[in-house]
Amino acid sequence: MTSTEDPIRNGVDTATLFATLDAVRATPEMAKFQFRATNRWVSGTHNQSTLHGFHGATQEMTHKQPFTYDADHPAVLVGEDNGPTAGEFLLHALVACLTGGIATIAAARGVNLDSVDAAVEGDIDLLGTLGLSDEVRNGFEQIRVSFTLRGDNPEKLAAVVEQSRQRSAVFDVLTNGIPVAISVDVG
Amino acid sequence: MTSTEDPIRNGVDTATLFATLDAVRATPEMAKFQFRATNRWVSGTHNQSTLHGFHGATQEMTHKQPFTYDADHPAVLVGEDNGPTAGEFLLHALVACLTGGIATIAAARGVNLDSVDAAVEGDIDLLGTLGLSDEVRNGFEQIRVSFTLRGDNPEKLAAVVEQSRQRSAVFDVLTNGIPVAISVDVG
C-alpha cells in the first residue's frame, strides 16, 4: 500500500487492521479473549441474555452499551414468540462470523465488495430434543449457508469466502465441536 | 394431573405441552423443522441478520414479526461496536436453549421454579482466527455455563438441569459438531 492510498476498504480501516496484527504478533498474549453472556429466565420458554463485558488485549473491556436479546419458542412449540428460538440465534452467529470475515479478508487482500448477502437453513427433527426418539439427535442435522457476493472479479470473491470459512471461529466450533462444562447452584 | 389442577406451571401451559407431544407421537412428520436466517453485510465487520420464516408441523410459518440483529466487532477488533460479536451470539444461543429446556422440563415434572440465572464464559485465543498460528484453533477452546436456580427442592432442580443438558439442541450441536455446507454465487 502506498502512503497516498485510502486505508479504508469495504469499511475496514486496513491501516488499523495491519497495525493490530503487528501488535498481536509482538505480544501474543493480547490475543487471549474471553466472551461472556448472562441470562435470566422470564417465564416459560422466554428468557433474556445480556452481552456487555469481555476480556481481551490483556484488559477488561465492555461494549459501548449492554446488548440484550430475548429468546422464546413460537406458539407451535408451546411458547409465546417473544423472540426467536435459540437455534435461530445459532444460525445468526454462524453467518455473522463468516460475513465479518469476508469483509475483513477482502479488505486485507485489496478486494472491493459491493454486496454480501446470505441465506442460512438448518434442518432439525425435533423427535430428539422432545425426548420422543433416542435415534434422532437433539440438534441440527445439517446447516447450509448460501452466499451471494458482488464486487471485484469472481475468482477473488470466491477465494475470500473460502478463506473466511477456513478461519471462522463459529464455523470451527460448529463443525468440530467444543467442550461445554455446566455447573449448577441449587442453593 | 387432576382436572382441577392449574395446567400453567413456570409459565408453561402443560396441557398444551402434553397435547403437542401426543400429536407429534401420532404424526412424527410434524417434528421436522427448518429454521432460517438471512444476513446482509452493512460495512466492515458490521452485518445484520433477519429471523422470520421457518418450516414446522408440516407447514410454512413465520414469527409474529421479523427479528433483526446487528453483529459487529468492538474497536479493539477493528470494528465499530454496532452489535455484539458472533461468538457472543453463540453463547446466548447455548444458554437460551438450556434455560428454555429447564423451564419446560420442570413444568412437565411438576417442579416449580422461582428463578433461573446463568453466566456463560467462552475462552478464545484469537491467534487462530487472525491467521497468526496454525497450532491454535479458530474457535472457543472451552465454554462454561454456571446456573443458579431457586425453587422446589434442590435435588429435583439439579435433575432438571441435567435433563435439559441431555436434550438441548444447541448443546448437542456445540459439543458434537454438525456438517455445515457453504455455497457461493459470485456471478
Side-chain angles (χ1 to χ4, degrees):
Chain A
M1 183 164 52
T2 68
S3 59
T4 56
E5 193 175 337
D6 185 353
I8 311 293
R9 189 186 302 271
N10 305 329
V12 175
D13 184 337
T14 57
T16 300
L17 173 63
F18 292 131
T20 300
L21 292 173
D22 285 344
V24 175
R25 273 190 201 96
T27 312
E29 190 71 15
M30 291 180 66
K32 291 189 185 299
F33 273 62
Q34 181 183 85
F35 290 109
R36 301 170 189 146
T38 57
N39 184 275
R40 174 160 287 187
W41 172 60
V42 180
S43 179
T45 48
H46 181 201
N47 60 84
Q48 187 178 71
S49 290
T50 299
L51 311 172
H52 192 205
F54 59 95
H55 181 91
T58 74
Q59 59 195 295
E60 287 296 305
M61 309 186 82
T62 59
H63 290 292
K64 283 182 198 166
Q65 61 176 91
F67 296 108
T68 61
Y69 301 102
D70 292 280
D72 199 354
H73 286 191
V76 69
L77 295 173
V78 201
E80 296 188 343
D81 209 21
N82 292 294
T85 61
E88 289 165 290
F89 277 111
L90 189 82
L91 301 181
H92 165 51
L94 172 63
V95 69
C97 191
L98 290 165
T99 296
I102 286 168
T104 305
I105 292 162
R109 292 181 175 189
V111 176
N112 294 305
L113 298 173
D114 293 329
S115 65
V116 183
D117 289 277
V120 192
E121 299 175 341
D123 301 324
I124 184 167
D125 185 338
L126 298 181
L127 291 179
T129 194
L130 291 173
L132 299 178
S133 169
D134 286 329
E135 288 161 21
V136 174
R137 72 178 296 174
N138 297 322
F140 289 114
E141 299 156 89
Q142 196 190 35
I143 294 176
R144 292 174 297 282
V145 186
S146 303
F147 276 107
T148 303
L149 281 78
R150 293 294 179 268
D152 281 352
N153 88 61
E155 277 183 27
K156 287 183 180 174
L157 294 177
V160 163
V161 175
E162 172 57 18
Q163 180 65 13
S164 181
R165 186 191 67 77
Q166 288 192 20
R167 284 299 181 187
S168 165
V170 176
F171 181 88
D172 169 27
V173 163
L174 293 190
T175 55
N176 295 316
I178 45 163
V180 177
I182 298 178
S183 62
V184 185
D185 169 357
V186 288
Chain B
M1 182 163 53
T2 67
S3 58
T4 56
E5 194 175 336
D6 185 351
I8 310 292
R9 191 186 300 273
N10 305 329
V12 175
D13 184 336
T14 57
T16 301
L17 174 62
F18 292 131
T20 300
L21 291 172
D22 285 344
V24 175
R25 274 190 200 96
T27 312
E29 189 71 14
M30 291 178 67
K32 290 188 184 303
F33 273 62
Q34 181 182 86
F35 289 110
R36 301 171 190 143
T38 58
N39 183 276
R40 175 161 286 185
W41 171 60
V42 180
S43 179
T45 48
H46 181 202
N47 59 84
Q48 187 179 69
S49 289
T50 299
L51 311 172
H52 191 208
F54 59 95
H55 181 91
T58 75
Q59 59 195 293
E60 286 298 304
M61 310 187 81
T62 59
H63 290 290
K64 284 183 199 165
Q65 61 176 92
F67 296 108
T68 61
Y69 301 101
D70 292 280
D72 200 354
H73 286 191
V76 69
L77 294 173
V78 200
E80 297 187 343
D81 209 21
N82 292 294
T85 61
E88 289 165 290
F89 277 110
L90 190 82
L91 302 180
H92 165 51
L94 173 63
V95 70
C97 191
L98 290 165
T99 296
I102 286 168
T104 305
I105 292 162
R109 293 182 175 189
V111 176
N112 294 306
L113 298 172
D114 293 329
S115 65
V116 184
D117 289 277
V120 192
E121 298 174 340
D123 301 323
I124 184 167
D125 185 336
L126 298 181
L127 290 180
T129 194
L130 290 175
L132 298 179
S133 169
D134 286 327
E135 288 160 22
V136 174
R137 70 177 299 174
N138 297 322
F140 289 115
E141 297 156 270
Q142 197 190 32
I143 294 175
R144 292 174 297 282
V145 187
S146 304
F147 276 107
T148 303
L149 280 78
R150 292 297 178 268
D152 281 352
N153 89 60
E155 276 182 29
K156 287 183 180 175
L157 294 177
V160 163
V161 175
E162 173 55 19
Q163 180 65 15
S164 181
R165 186 191 67 77
Q166 288 193 19
R167 284 299 181 187
S168 165
V170 176
F171 181 87
D172 168 27
V173 162
L174 293 191
T175 55
N176 295 316
I178 45 163
V180 177
I182 298 177
S183 62
V184 185
D185 170 356
V186 289

